[in-house]
Amino acid sequence: LSQGGDGTSSPRGAMSAEDRAFLEKVMKEYTVDVAKAVSEHLSVVSRFAGGEGEAEACEAALDAIEELTIDLDMARDLCKLGGVREVLRAARFEGATSGVRRAAAGVIAAVAQNDEACQNAVAAEGGVATLEDVVERASESDERRVAFGALSATIRGHPSLEEAFIRGRGPHILSLALGADARTASKAAFLLYAITYERTDDAALDALAPAFRAAVDATAYDPSPETYQRRESAINALVRAAQASTAFAQSYRESLDAAADDAQRALSDHPDDTGLKDHLALWSQLPWRRG
């Protein structure tokens, strides 16, 4: 408690009406300034997508928009203003560089952030297909990694988008990402785990066969710390699928046992690797290896 001017006690830090009015004024002006900045940057993106302007300027504008739309309210405003459409147009533009596509994907990742309204806005503008194209055709690892992250943010936790992904190009995109650099592969393994966690229907698991085969390869031991998350998420996805489906367990039992045995042999060579011990504990959750 702090002592007031009249000798009474009031909660420390309690805001006066004058201070509250000042703060509200500042926040309102800040919101207007941010919206104006986003609009100005978006005009640069639109000109580039329309065949005018330089790629470097568009990339810089997209990076600036990403920083400003990390705030969910601003992300939703961008969707309402048609900004997502312009960002995706820039990514699709035939003159787009790897840097422009990477920066455009960065905006989409910031906007989607697993928020249903924003996910719907991205999907309505053909964003899922665009991001899948970027992942598939990326010429740089950063471009592929950011695009895959944006794709994951757009579909993860959205039942209908996840389902369409599984029935469409998703299994191929996942297998491609699982074989990419460690950071991209980690994102792919986590997405595979997330979208299969509550799925028990054999049809969906069958459709994901290319991704599961790639996930088995992704469990291979590598002493680099960067591969730890890739291996852990891949094992989790495979074990979960084996627990959920008898058919899956029967189809993959041999390859999963081989992967688990490889991890056991790796531990013999690296007895101090606590990550390997963690992963062997996960493998022990396979239905036929429990106990």
Side-chain angles (χ1 to χ4, degrees), residues 26 56 82 96 107 116 122 163 172 180-181 197 208 214 233 237 250 258 263 272 280 287:
V26 170
E56 291 80 2
V107 174
E116 186 175 2
V122 173
E163 189 67 24
H172 166 67
D181 64 279
Y197 185 76
L208 286 163
S233 293
Q250 291 174 342
D272 296 326
L280 280 169

Side-chain angles (χ1 to χ4, degrees), residues 128-139:
V128 173
T130 297
L131 292 168
E132 288 175 338
D133 287 342
V134 175
V135 171
E136 192 170 30
R137 304 169 188 173
S139 58

